[in-house]
Amino acid sequence: GAPALEKTGDILHMHATGVSLWIFFESIEMKLPDGMRVYVNGKEISDYKNYVFNDLDKILITDGTGDLKEQLNSITNFAEKH
């Protein structure tokens, strides 16, 4: 298919270090509903709220519906250009 086009919201750029997902979500006033599943670089993270971001992480947040492989494959590598 055609290559994905980069758009606002595709990349999270942070200047702080040691920031866990819960701090990020709190900072944007977003609460993940129960039952959400989080994958980092293709692996499910059970304690995702305490996961600390690393440069070039590919993060998927899903409610578990739909095709997981398709969702994981939809994550871009746009961050490598920034």
Side-chain angles (χ1 to χ4, degrees):
L5 299 176
E6 186 175 336
K7 61 189 179 308
T8 301
D10 286 342
I11 298 171
L12 171 63
H13 181 82
M14 294 180 29
H15 293 275
T17 58
V19 176
S20 58
L21 277 174
W22 77 267
I23 293 172
F24 167 69
F25 287 123
E26 188 175 90
S27 75
I28 62 170
E29 299 179 357
M30 181 177 171
K31 182 178 180 192
L32 292 181
D34 292 336
M36 297 304 285
R37 297 169 65 185
V38 176
Y39 293 80
V40 177
N41 303 320
K43 296 181 182 176
E44 187 168 11
I45 303 295
S46 58
D47 187 22
Y48 64 85
K49 290 179 183 176
N50 292 314
Y51 181 78
V52 175
F53 289 94
N54 291 300
D55 193 29
L56 301 181
D57 275 347
K58 293 182 177 182
I59 299 174
L60 170 69
I61 301 170
T62 180
D63 63 3
T65 61
D67 185 293
L68 178 61
K69 186 174 181 179
E70 184 177 302
Q71 292 173 26
L72 289 169
N73 287 335
S74 74
I75 301 171
T76 69
N77 62 351
F78 293 146
E80 293 175 1
K81 296 187 257 176
H82 296 273

